[in-house]
């Protein structure tokens, strides 16, 4: 069974990721090692495409990919592809399911429009989780009716 999840990527741009859920009896999908499949089943890591702007060559993608991955707390897999010719490419990033480091920081992330505290309570925990963080309970409106931010805590 495949599960599609809409995540927030670079600068809040939506990223559609497909996660395969497999029973223990199923073989690892093509392109995945048994170790990667085991990590995925145990909740260790997952891979998502993240927008990286236009990339013009594999050489450029191999240079830019690690920067984009690091900005999201992940590792560049070396894979990339163009999604809109001349305008947007994505790089594949492997992310840990949960950041368990001892260093912690807090920052605001784009959350779309939030209308009130009840709306924020429903949305922000999921929005922060989509960035790999935990919601602090704080939010604010930046542009009324268009953009609010959620305060998230991250660990590395």
């Amino acid at each position: 069974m495949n599960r599609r999840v809409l995540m927030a990527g670079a600068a809040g741009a939506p990223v559609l990721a497909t996660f395969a859920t497999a029973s223990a009896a199923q073989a690892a999908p093509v392109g995945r090692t048994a170790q990667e499949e085991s990590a995925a089943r145990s909740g260790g890591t997952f891979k998502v495409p993240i927008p990286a702007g236009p990339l013009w060559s594999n050489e450029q993608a191999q240079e830019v990919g690690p920067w984009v991955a690091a900005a999201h707390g992940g590792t560049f897999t070396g894979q990339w592809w163009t999604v809109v010719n001349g305008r947007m490419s994505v790089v594949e990033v492997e992310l840990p399911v949960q950041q368990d480091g001892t260093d912690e920081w807090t920052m605001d992330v784009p959350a779309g429009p939030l209308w009130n505290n009840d709306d924020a309570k429903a949305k922000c925990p999921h929005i922060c989780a989509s960035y790999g963080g935990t919601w602090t309970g704080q939010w604010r409106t930046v542009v009324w009716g268009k953009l609010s931010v959620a305060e998230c805590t991250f660990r590395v």
Side-chain angles (χ1 to χ4, degrees):
M1 173 171 127
N2 283 339
R3 179 176 296 165
R4 291 180 187 261
V5 177
L6 186 63
M7 298 181 62
V15 176
L16 183 62
T18 302
F19 298 94
T21 56
S23 69
Q26 289 178 312
V30 174
R32 265 184 133 163
T33 67
Q35 183 179 11
E36 289 171 328
E37 182 61 21
S38 175
R41 278 197 309 271
S42 70
T45 63
F46 60 97
K47 296 176 185 176
V48 294
I50 295 181
L55 297 172
W56 305 105
S57 68
N58 188 55
E59 181 179 334
Q60 182 188 26
Q62 298 308 311
E63 180 181 0
V64 171
W67 304 338
V68 173
H72 292 270
T75 305
F76 179 47
T77 67
Q79 302 298 310
W80 69 281
W81 56 95
T82 297
V83 292
V84 179
N85 281 333
R87 300 200 57 202
M88 184 59 65
S89 298
V90 295
V91 295
E92 185 180 67
V93 175
E94 186 168 11
L95 298 167
V97 170
Q98 185 173 357
Q99 298 278 355
D100 290 328
T102 56
D103 292 320
E104 183 176 284
W105 83 95
T106 299
M107 64 182 274
D108 290 341
V109 300
L114 298 172
W115 303 108
N116 54 44
N117 283 328
D118 289 337
D119 193 36
K121 287 176 185 177
K123 295 175 182 176
C124 290
H126 302 286
I127 291 166
C128 287
S130 77
Y131 285 95
T134 304
W135 187 43
T136 67
Q138 301 297 311
W139 68 279
R140 65 185 174 86
T141 295
V142 178
V143 179
W144 176 252
K146 294 184 178 182
L147 179 63
S148 298
V149 292
E151 185 180 86
C152 306
T153 299
F154 301 89
R155 293 182 181 270
V156 290

